[in-house]
């Protein structure tokens, strides 16, 4: 006890660095990219300053800039030129995500890990993450699984290194694993959005991905923010179905879930530092209410400290520059 024990002894100068428990580097980051078939030049997302919708012609250049910063991976989201109730523009050989994957791989090869989001919301006219029964307004779980498998196979065929199902359909990991394996892509890993909450923090993303829903909400398939034990049940099922990496989304309001998932399963664990978390810091910094660089670092290091092995974040490029 004091005065013999003085913890401030370890907080001076380089001693502070020597005893630091958690570190953050560019290797811990994944940068999202939005690719939009409907534009010819980059369009800034109004609610996400510094983040752009990109045309297909610009995606390889953006990917190269990300790789040159030392960031090891990107995750792709596509906005198609055509949407219908079945999301039919999601799984064709020449659809937007598939073409983006090919262009990035042609430019960068194995310099960058290309992860693709596997969901239907950007591709459906109603904005929900699956097939809809319009009479009952129900999002149909089992018919959606077949479509998710087709999307995953089409992404793997285009050259994706990893697929990431995000729709929170029951059985999605098993359906995608089976589809990949039967098509000869047994070595493609699945990063499951295993604990994805029904969160207000996704708001800016819906502008970016043009994925707002036309009726209801997503509370019947995304998780109740009040529930922690349910997240462990969700993760347990995804592990049993063959998930290679587990993800918690959002990150900052769910640090306790990240900690529990990493502690209880000991598997590679990702966290998604989502659009609303990004936009809040950007908005506060623009008004001079907060130091932007310090807020970025503190946010990301807290996610690492909670147990995330890597972080999907719109701050990836900013953070990589800072960390250099």
């Amino acid at each position: 006890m004091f005065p013999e024990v003085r913890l401030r002894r370890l907080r001076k100068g380089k001693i502070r660095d020597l005893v630091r428990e958690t570190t953050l580097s560019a290797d811990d980051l994944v940068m999202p990219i939005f690719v939009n078939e409907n534009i010819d030049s980059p369009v800034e997302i109004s609610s996400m300053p510094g983040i752009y919708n990109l045309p297909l012609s610009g995606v390889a250049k953006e990917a190269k800039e990300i790789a040159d910063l030392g960031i090891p991976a990107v995750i792709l989201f596509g906005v198609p030129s055509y949407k219908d109730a079945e999301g039919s523009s999601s799984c064709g050989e020449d659809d937007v995500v598939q073409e983006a994957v090919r262009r990035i791989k042609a430019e960068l090869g194995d310099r960058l890990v290309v992860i693709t989001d596997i969901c239907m919301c950007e591709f459906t006219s109603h904005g929900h993450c699956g097939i809809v029964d319009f009479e009952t307004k129900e999002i149909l779980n089992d018919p959606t699984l077949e479509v998710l498998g087709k999307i995953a196979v089409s992404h793997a065929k285009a050259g994706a290194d990893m697929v990431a199902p995000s729709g929170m359909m029951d059985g999605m990991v098993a359906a995608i694993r089976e589809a990949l394996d039967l098509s000869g892509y047994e070595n493609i890993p699945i990063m499951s959005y295993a604990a994805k909450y029904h969160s207000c923090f996704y708001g800016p993303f819906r502008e970016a991905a043009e994925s707002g829903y036309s009726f209801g909400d997503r509370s019947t398939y995304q998780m109740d923010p009040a529930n922690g034990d349910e997240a462990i049940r969700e993760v347990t099922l995804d592990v049993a179905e063959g998930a290679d990496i587990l993800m918690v989304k959002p990150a900052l309001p769910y640090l306790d879930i990240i900690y529990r998932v990493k502690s209880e399963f000991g598997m590679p664990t990702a966290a998604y530092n989502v659009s609303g978390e990004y936009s809040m810091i950007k908005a506060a910094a623009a008004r001079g209410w907060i130091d932007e660089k310090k807020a970025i670092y503190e946010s990301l290091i807290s996610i690492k400290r909670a147990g995330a092995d890597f972080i999907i974040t719109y701050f990836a490029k900013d953070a990589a520059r800072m960390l250099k």
Side-chain angles (χ1 to χ4, degrees):
M1 300 293 290
F2 179 84
E4 289 80 10
V5 176
R6 294 176 180 265
L7 292 181
R8 289 182 60 189
R9 292 170 184 150
L10 302 180
R11 296 176 187 156
K12 294 192 297 184
K14 292 296 182 181
I15 296 175
R16 186 183 182 95
D17 297 340
L18 283 172
V19 299
R20 181 168 291 126
E21 299 171 23
T22 307
T23 59
L24 180 71
S25 76
D27 286 336
D28 301 321
L29 307 174
V30 177
M31 182 70 193
I33 296 179
F34 296 102
V35 191
N36 193 320
E37 276 189 315
N38 304 296
I39 58 177
D40 297 317
S41 59
V43 176
E44 188 171 25
I45 300 159
S46 63
S47 57
M48 300 176 70
I51 303 298
Y52 291 81
N53 257 304
L54 299 174
L56 277 166
S57 61
V59 70
K61 179 181 177 183
E62 173 71 6
K64 185 178 184 303
E65 179 182 338
I66 291 166
D68 288 346
L69 286 168
I71 297 166
V74 296
I75 184 166
L76 297 182
F77 300 91
V79 180
S81 58
Y82 172 75
K83 300 188 180 192
D84 60 22
E86 291 76 35
S88 59
S89 295
S90 62
C91 54
E93 185 173 332
D94 298 319
D95 285 333
V96 59
V97 173
Q98 292 81 350
E99 181 60 24
V101 171
R102 283 193 292 270
R103 293 189 184 208
I104 293 172
K105 283 298 179 182
E107 176 72 22
L108 293 168
D110 292 333
R111 281 190 61 202
L112 195 66
V113 175
V114 177
I115 307 166
T116 56
D117 179 75
I118 306 294
C119 194
M120 295 177 65
C121 61
E122 300 111 293
F123 302 92
T124 56
S125 52
H126 47 74
H128 279 286
C129 300
I131 302 296
V132 170
D133 181 332
F134 288 99
E135 288 188 10
T136 63
K137 298 292 179 70
E138 181 184 358
I139 290 77
L140 301 174
N141 192 94
D142 294 10
T144 300
L145 299 180
E146 182 179 356
V147 182
L148 298 180
K150 290 179 180 178
I151 297 171
V153 170
S154 71
H155 289 185
K157 184 177 180 181
D161 298 297
M162 184 186 303
V163 297
S166 63
M168 288 299 286
M169 296 293 120
D170 291 338
M172 64 182 184
V173 173
I176 289 170
R177 183 75 274 158
E178 181 180 20
L180 289 170
D181 291 356
L182 289 174
S183 299
Y185 298 110
E186 62 275 1
N187 292 321
I188 297 294
I190 297 173
M191 175 173 64
S192 177
Y193 290 62
K196 181 179 179 180
Y197 283 85
H198 182 238
S199 172
C200 70
F201 290 101
Y202 305 147
F205 175 92
R206 292 183 185 134
E207 177 196 349
E210 299 180 14
S211 62
Y213 33 80
S214 60
F215 66 88
D217 59 28
R218 294 176 179 156
S219 60
T220 65
Y221 45 103
Q222 294 175 354
M223 287 181 52
D224 184 342
N227 294 354
D229 291 342
E230 183 187 6
I232 302 306
R233 293 186 70 194
E234 284 280 9
V235 171
T236 300
L237 291 168
D238 282 6
V239 171
E241 291 175 21
D244 300 285
I245 300 173
L246 308 169
M247 187 205 296
V248 176
K249 180 182 180 181
L252 292 174
Y254 300 95
L255 295 177
D256 61 319
I257 305 302
I258 297 170
Y259 177 81
R260 288 184 65 181
V261 168
K262 185 62 179 178
S263 297
E264 295 192 29
F265 295 90
M267 285 181 60
T269 302
Y272 201 139
N273 181 218
V274 300
S275 59
E277 298 170 63
Y278 173 91
S279 296
M280 286 194 301
I281 288 177
K282 284 289 186 178
R287 288 159 177 77
W289 297 341
I290 195 170
D291 183 304
E292 182 174 338
K293 290 184 177 181
K294 290 181 179 179
I296 292 171
Y297 177 79
E298 190 172 340
S299 297
L300 297 180
I301 202 71
S302 75
I303 298 167
K304 279 292 301 294
R305 190 184 65 243
D309 296 293
F310 62 91
I311 306 165
I312 302 167
T313 176
Y314 302 96
F315 288 123
K317 289 164 66 176
D318 291 341
R321 293 186 185 103
M322 287 164 42
L323 293 167
K324 282 188 174 182

